[in-house]
Amino acid sequence: MQWRALVLGLVLLRLGLHGVLWLVFGLGPSMGFYQRFPLSFGFQRLRSPDGPASPASGPVGRPGGLSGPSWLQPPGTGATQSPRKVPRRPEPGVCGPAHWGYVLGGRDRGPDEYEKRYSGAFPPQLRAQMRDLARGMFVFGYDNYMAHAFPQDELNPIHCRGRGPDRGDPSNLNINDVLGNYSLTLVDALDTLAVMGNSSEFQKAVKLVINTVSFDKDSTVQVFEATIRVLGSLLSAHRIITDSKQPFGDMTIKDYDNELLYMAHDLAVRLLPAFENTKTGIPYPRVNLKTGVPPDTNNETCTAGAGSLLVEFGILSRLLGDSTFEWVARRAVKALWNLRSNDTGLLGNVVNIQTGHWVGKQSGLGAGLDSFYEYLLKSYILFGEKEDLEMFNAAYQSIQNYLRRGREACNEGEGDPPLYVNVNMFSGQLMNTWIDSLQAFFPGLQVLIGDVEDAICLHAFYYAIWKRYGALPERYNWQLQAPDVLFYPLRPELVESTYLLYQATKNPFYLHVGMDILQSLEKYTKVKCGYATLHHVIDKSTEDRMESFFLSETCKYLYLLFDEDNPVHKSGTRYMFTTEGHIVSVDEHLRELPWKEFFSEEGGQDQGGKSVHRPKPHELKVINSSSNPPYEEKGCRCLSPEGVAQPLVGDPSSPSPGLEGRGWDWAAHLLLASQEPSTGLSAAASNEDPRRHTVNALSPQFRIFCLPVSGSGKTAAFGDLHCPIPQRAPL
Ligand code: DMJ
């Protein structure tokens, strides 16, 4: 049976690729092919790149256009509108190239008509030329940033100046959410330097980051942006430096002492206040890096912002052996997940973190939700926690049921080609007729789960828009066939999907797409000192801003698309990309829970031989911003299950209060119970148990927990509160 499925898969794939080539590129096959596939996929009807954007003159839903009537109708209302079943795919856990090989197969086939036809479609010299063009693009942007902007956050590429937070206008969130006065572009670009094999510049950049970047800044930033752009990059670079195999060349740093990991920890601890005093566990969207959550802060957050922190926080937790970060990020994901609609299984795009009410009921794949879905799957790929995959699978099914419009198969059958629209999360009713450019990441995610056929189709839709404008407008109205929002800030999503589809299919079509993207970036966005945001995709006017993701993502994916032999593809290590394009090796080590021994199922025995229940990670209820080292200077507060900080009660006057008859972790509990931690520390350190001695040394072997109170005595005052304290990184 398996060979039949494989053959069927191959046939479908081949036909799909034929269709895409024909539709988008005009490279297509003969009429015979077309007759077998009566497509009404109307890309050829798009206006030329230079044509004016005017609303469609014809009635909505004329046959063959991009405004097919079926997209306006809810799924299940017509012959071709039944909700699509998610295609069968390999067993969970099979991701990466091996998976793609399974899905696509056929690489070892002899040349057939198709291969003969396109084998010369992208000669090796052209590929090398494009790779060098992509590298040159990165170098031009990076060098100019270093020359004109560093140590500021971003480069203004038109006026050759630096840009930092907009202190004059705190409400300028477009800038202030992202720019934290921490040399953002340099930090974000670190692993691209490594991927391009530039070891001298990578080493120089890492040292600069270690020596000059500080997070002790009076900057109010978005937790999400700081996490994906800064925390993620620091962790990625740390892993590159400490990788014993050094696949990218010598990226080691002399006398490196985990500085980037410590910096990541420092930043993450500064983000932790966002997770305190939230009744749902969903974090506040913004924190001030010095002072915590601003008093006048907003209680509303977008789903992606609050629910896409798990990859970075999870990596940090697992590298440090400290469950705190993963725990808070996971709690946020689950809180959001539990708020999904009972009827549709969909989530909205904006939620109130105190009430749990959906403020934005729009459910789509773009802004506000994109990386939420992405991180359900990527967390599973990295950490192997089944619940993440289960959530992803359920979400994917809801997406297919309610967001996907058009015919069931990408390349066959009647009706309009598939499209993912924005609907009301509770009713599944269409909310508007636009899609945004962020959604162009979705085909890449579909590649990861093996839904390649659908990925090909959706990618082709976005590419058709790119072909028309030489960029992707921020929003495109598929009914009017015109942009709704006209700017293009050098976003990576289309090239990210192009790259992943190329890896999956090895079809030269995607190299052509990449070349097209490269050439239009060169033509329309290159300015005196870098690459500029397109203000208007039709008149091609520019804005003086080069976002940091241009170097961390757009250039990286373009380079990797053409660099067939890159260690990312050939080193034998499997890499995953974070939502900011940072590479992380998929490593068994990250599937281990270093804190497991403290929370084993069995529990342990106390000093008197009585059994002691040790809580499991999910029983932890607390995090605390005051866990920033040195810990002894700060108290630890426990949070109630509702997230409300509780006063700690204890008796610091006793040298070893309540220790008798209890395990060492109870001592730690009492240690934290002290309102004056130094008293507690000395009390604990005075005990014979060596694990307690290590408290003062902040050793990785010792962890401090405020454990659940099930015993008697003074500790009963804690109720069921828990309080972990992050430790320093393993030395
Ligand atoms: C990047 O910061 C990330 O890719 C994020 O997930 C979405 N937005 C930008 C790029 O468009």
Side-chain angles (χ1 to χ4, degrees):
M1 276 313 283
Q2 213 176 17
W3 67 268
R4 278 194 198 151
L6 199 61
V7 168
L8 185 67
L10 280 169
V11 169
L12 284 174
L13 174 73
R14 183 176 157 194
L15 296 174
L17 291 170
H18 270 301
V20 170
L21 286 165
W22 176 76
L23 290 164
V24 182
F25 243 37
L27 290 176
S30 66
M31 277 305 285
F33 172 87
Y34 176 58
Q35 280 158 2
R36 287 201 304 277
F37 292 89
L39 299 176
S40 60
F41 209 169
F43 288 126
Q44 67 276 32
R45 303 182 56 164
L46 290 169
R47 288 183 300 271
S48 72
D50 302 315
S54 59
S57 50
V60 166
R62 49 191 183 179
L66 276 170
S67 52
S70 61
W71 295 343
L72 291 164
Q73 291 162 10
T77 54
T80 60
Q81 291 293 305
S82 56
R84 172 175 177 256
K85 284 200 191 69
V86 177
R88 283 186 55 194
R89 51 180 192 260
E91 285 305 302
V94 193
C95 296
H99 177 186
W100 300 332
Y102 172 85
V103 172
L104 300 164
R107 303 245 180 94
D108 52 356
R109 284 173 304 154
D112 60 9
E113 191 198 342
Y114 170 77
E115 283 179 356
K116 273 189 243 148
R117 185 171 185 130
Y118 298 114
S119 61
F122 215 91
Q125 309 90 291
L126 185 58
R127 183 193 298 229
Q129 214 181 312
M130 289 303 117
R131 183 199 58 207
D132 294 347
L133 193 57
R135 189 210 300 270
M137 182 174 268
F138 172 84
V139 169
F140 188 64
Y142 178 84
D143 284 353
N144 273 295
Y145 164 77
M146 292 308 290
H148 302 290
F150 176 80
Q152 288 185 270
D153 287 308
E154 277 182 359
L155 170 70
N156 286 357
I158 297 175
H159 289 101
C160 309
R161 306 269 305 262
R163 180 201 286 272
D166 186 352
R167 302 285 190 218
D169 180 7
S171 69
N172 186 356
L173 299 180
N174 191 24
I175 296 294
N176 292 329
D177 270 359
V178 181
L179 278 55
N181 193 15
Y182 38 38
S183 305
L184 174 70
T185 299
L186 174 67
V187 175
D188 213 359
L190 289 178
D191 69 316
T192 311
L193 289 166
V195 164
M196 293 186 175
N198 190 342
S199 71
S200 58
E201 196 56 44
F202 175 79
Q203 289 162 341
K204 203 167 132 194
V206 167
K207 284 181 199 154
L208 257 186
V209 169
I210 291 172
N211 294 330
T212 66
V213 174
S214 158
F215 300 121
D216 193 25
K217 295 282 167 66
D218 184 16
S219 302
T220 298
V221 293
Q222 206 187 65
V223 175
F224 170 73
E225 295 291 0
T227 298
I228 64 165
R229 300 198 196 205
V230 182
L231 188 60
S233 187
L234 293 171
L235 293 170
S236 173
H238 168 75
R239 300 263 291 167
I240 290 168
I241 294 164
T242 54
D243 184 347
S244 58
K245 295 195 206 121
Q246 290 296 303
F248 299 101
D250 181 11
M251 300 293 158
T252 57
I253 305 290
K254 196 163 174 289
D255 299 326
Y256 182 68
D257 191 18
N258 296 314
E259 284 91 343
L260 295 188
L261 184 57
Y262 286 119
M263 288 179 74
H265 181 234
D266 178 40
L267 175 61
V269 167
R270 291 170 190 277
L271 300 178
L272 281 182
F275 298 85
E276 287 182 28
N277 298 314
T278 141
K279 292 201 175 112
T280 57
I282 302 169
Y284 286 93
R286 297 177 181 85
V287 290
N288 181 290
L289 295 176
K290 246 187 202 306
T291 59
V293 176
D296 57 347
T297 204
N298 194 339
N299 276 331
E300 292 169 8
T301 184
C302 74
T303 306
S308 327
L309 308 167
L310 187 49
V311 165
E312 288 82 3
F313 275 45
I315 295 171
L316 181 66
S317 266
R318 287 164 193 246
L319 292 180
L320 294 175
D322 181 339
S323 59
T324 304
F325 306 99
E326 177 163 343
W327 187 81
V328 293
R330 197 169 278 288
R331 183 179 65 163
V333 172
K334 282 190 194 161
L336 287 163
W337 183 247
N338 291 337
L339 291 173
R340 71 194 185 282
S341 157
N342 289 334
D343 296 325
T344 64
L346 295 172
L347 291 86
N349 57 348
V350 182
V351 70
N352 184 306
I353 68 161
Q354 303 297 1
T355 64
H357 288 143
W358 289 104
V359 180
K361 298 177 181 57
Q362 178 177 304
S363 198
L365 297 178
L369 275 152
D370 48 356
S371 49
F372 176 77
Y373 298 122
E374 179 184 358
Y375 268 22
L376 291 179
L377 182 65
K378 290 189 173 176
S379 299
Y380 171 71
I381 292 172
L382 264 193
F383 309 130
E385 301 283 354
K386 261 194 155 177
E387 65 175 356
D388 295 332
L389 182 67
E390 282 158 11
M391 284 188 279
F392 177 81
N393 282 337
Y396 197 72
Q397 189 63 63
S398 293
I399 288 167
Q400 298 304 318
N401 290 346
Y402 293 97
L403 267 51
R404 190 180 185 280
R405 302 288 160 92
R407 62 175 171 251
E408 185 172 334
C410 172
N411 293 308
E412 62 184 347
E414 297 297 320
D416 294 296
L419 186 73
Y420 292 83
V421 298
N422 297 317
V423 303
N424 179 297
M425 64 175 281
F426 294 110
S427 64
Q429 296 291 316
L430 191 71
M431 279 189 80
N432 50 51
T433 56
W434 51 259
I435 50 171
D436 66 21
S437 78
L438 289 168
Q439 196 203 103
F441 90 100
F442 197 68
L445 191 65
Q446 292 185 301
V447 165
L448 291 187
I449 57 163
D451 199 355
V452 178
E453 193 199 354
D454 216 53
I456 289 168
C457 232
L458 185 60
H459 173 273
F461 186 95
Y462 275 99
Y463 178 50
I465 301 172
W466 184 286
K467 284 292 281 179
R468 183 192 282 184
Y469 302 104
L472 278 188
E474 188 71 354
R475 279 185 191 170
Y476 181 81
N477 191 312
W478 46 259
Q479 187 177 31
L480 300 176
Q481 298 187 46
D484 264 358
V485 179
L486 284 148
F487 68 92
Y488 168 66
L490 307 169
R491 288 197 192 283
E493 285 76 10
L494 181 61
V495 70
E496 173 185 351
S497 287
T498 305
Y499 162 69
L500 288 163
L501 270 162
Y502 179 67
Q503 289 302 316
T505 64
K506 294 292 172 187
N507 193 294
F509 167 71
Y510 295 105
L511 298 175
H512 282 280
V513 175
M515 183 166 73
D516 218 356
I517 293 174
L518 256 177
Q519 287 171 340
S520 33
L521 286 173
E522 284 291 321
K523 186 169 171 192
Y524 300 124
T525 72
K526 190 168 186 179
V527 292
K528 188 174 169 203
C529 291
Y531 293 83
T533 292
L534 268 188
H535 174 68
H536 195 293
V537 295
I538 297 170
D539 71 17
K540 305 292 189 287
S541 54
T542 49
E543 282 175 31
D544 201 4
R545 185 170 186 194
M546 186 177 88
E547 291 247 22
S548 68
F549 51 68
F550 178 67
L551 298 185
S552 73
E553 291 193 80
T554 313
C555 291
K556 184 188 287 146
Y557 287 125
L558 280 168
Y559 180 81
L560 284 173
L561 174 65
F562 296 107
D563 193 29
E564 191 85 358
D565 295 328
N566 194 280
V568 167
H569 313 132
K570 291 280 170 73
S571 66
T573 301
R574 295 200 303 170
Y575 289 95
M576 195 191 80
F577 296 88
T578 70
T579 193
E580 185 72 2
H582 297 304
I583 56 165
V584 190
S585 56
V586 181
D587 186 336
E588 271 305 310
H589 185 59
L590 287 179
R591 295 190 167 211
E592 289 157 11
L593 294 174
W595 47 86
K596 209 164 81 189
E597 60 174 297
F598 299 103
F599 300 108
S600 65
E601 295 281 337
E602 309 81 45
Q605 288 203 329
D606 67 16
Q607 289 166 341
K610 286 192 205 138
S611 62
V612 173
H613 166 74
R614 295 192 197 284
K616 295 167 203 153
H618 70 266
E619 291 178 301
L620 284 169
K621 296 277 189 240
V622 169
I623 35 76
N624 190 286
S625 60
S626 57
S627 51
N628 195 9
Y631 309 123
E632 59 267 37
E633 285 173 12
K634 311 217 176 174
C636 174
R637 288 173 293 146
C638 293
L639 300 187
S640 72
E642 291 78 39
V644 179
Q646 301 291 311
L648 295 177
V649 183
D651 182 7
S653 60
S654 164
S656 55
L659 282 181
E660 277 167 60
R662 294 193 175 131
W664 61 269
D665 39 12
W666 286 101
H669 178 151
L670 291 166
L671 167 72
L672 296 174
S674 167
Q675 293 286 14
E676 293 178 19
S678 55
T679 314
L681 278 168
S682 61
S686 69
N687 191 283
E688 289 305 304
D689 188 327
R691 285 171 296 195
R692 275 175 224 141
H693 284 290
T694 62
V695 172
N696 276 337
L698 298 172
S699 149
Q701 275 84 49
F702 196 88
R703 300 172 52 75
I704 307 170
F705 298 108
C706 187
L707 293 175
V709 173
S710 54
S712 57
K714 301 180 176 81
T715 53
F718 286 89
D720 60 353
L721 304 178
H722 311 251
C723 181
I725 293 187
Q727 64 191 35
R728 283 182 62 120
L731 301 171

